Amino acid sequence: MPRSGGWTQGAKRAFGVIFLGVAIWLAGRVLPGPVTLALWAALLVGTAVFLGALDRPEGDATRGRRLGVALGILLLFGGLMQGFGAALGADDPLRPLAPLAGRAVPAPTETQFAEVVTRAELEQALASADGRPALVYVTANWCVTCRAIERGPLADPAVHAALAGLAGIKVDVSAFNTEAQALMQDLAAAGPPTMVFLDAARAEAPGSRLVGEMDSAALLASIAKVVP
């Protein structure tokens, strides 16, 4: 085993930052988006300052010291982006400037799904589908994977065009109350994200269900199983 020394102090500090990052990531499932971005900003800026991003390296600074300052500058830039995104009201740490883009280009999936939170609302949404196949999407505002799906496959123009032949229904289980658990039981869904594809007769297409992370190809393949 290597002996303890200065490297152990650095390792402890590095793991401390990692643990704080994991804590923020977990808290982001329940905290408002801007608050999560503000926490990321505080962590990144604090780490950058500790690494000396605001200090000028001395002429005889070691290579490790210079690399640390360079890393600190990158973290400082990332922290400022997160803070700016929090001020804009952004809710995705991976896209802190999304509100600026959203003002120019409306998200194509915003009007694609009818949102329901009760059994009665789900039945009504299915009844109003006019005989079309349906996609029942179980999601929640604390679901990190759901956010990735919505900014990834569901934002794909090809997927968006294919969804035009379906009645899209979002089952919001964010509250995870008795009604939400009953909905998940009816759909045999373990949790979000789950996509259930129903044909015109309201039977689930065999092999079409998608659970967890997915890409555009998988989503298009499941759509094709219910759309004539």
Side-chain angles (χ1 to χ4, degrees), residues 8-141:
T8 58
Q9 296 300 320
K12 283 196 284 187
R13 295 188 182 102
F15 277 109
V17 172
I18 292 172
F19 290 151
L20 286 173
V22 172
I24 294 173
W25 177 71
L26 292 173
R29 301 186 176 192
V30 295
L31 292 175
V35 174
T36 303
L37 265 69
L39 291 175
W40 279 117
L43 177 62
L44 293 175
V45 171
T47 304
V49 172
F50 177 79
L51 289 173
L54 302 180
D55 300 334
R56 183 176 180 178
E58 298 178 358
D60 58 348
T62 63
R63 181 179 299 177
R65 172 61 176 164
R66 293 180 184 276
L67 288 175
V69 171
L71 177 60
I73 292 173
L74 292 176
L75 293 178
L76 179 62
F77 178 75
L80 293 176
M81 293 287 286
Q82 295 292 318
F84 188 55
L88 291 175
D91 58 5
D92 187 351
L94 298 179
R95 297 193 309 162
L97 302 183
L100 293 178
R103 292 171 187 172
V105 182
T109 58
E110 285 297 322
T111 58
Q112 189 69 37
F113 292 89
E115 295 191 8
V116 302
V117 294
T118 65
R119 282 172 162 175
E121 291 177 350
L122 176 58
E123 292 175 0
Q124 183 179 359
L126 290 171
S128 62
D130 298 327
R132 291 182 296 159
L135 163 57
V136 181
Y137 174 32
V138 180
T139 183
N141 58 19

Side-chain angles (χ1 to χ4, degrees), residues 197-199 203-209 221-222 225-226:
F197 296 83
L198 305 176
D199 60 22
E204 183 175 356
S208 63
R209 179 174 294 224
S222 290
K225 293 179 180 179
V226 294

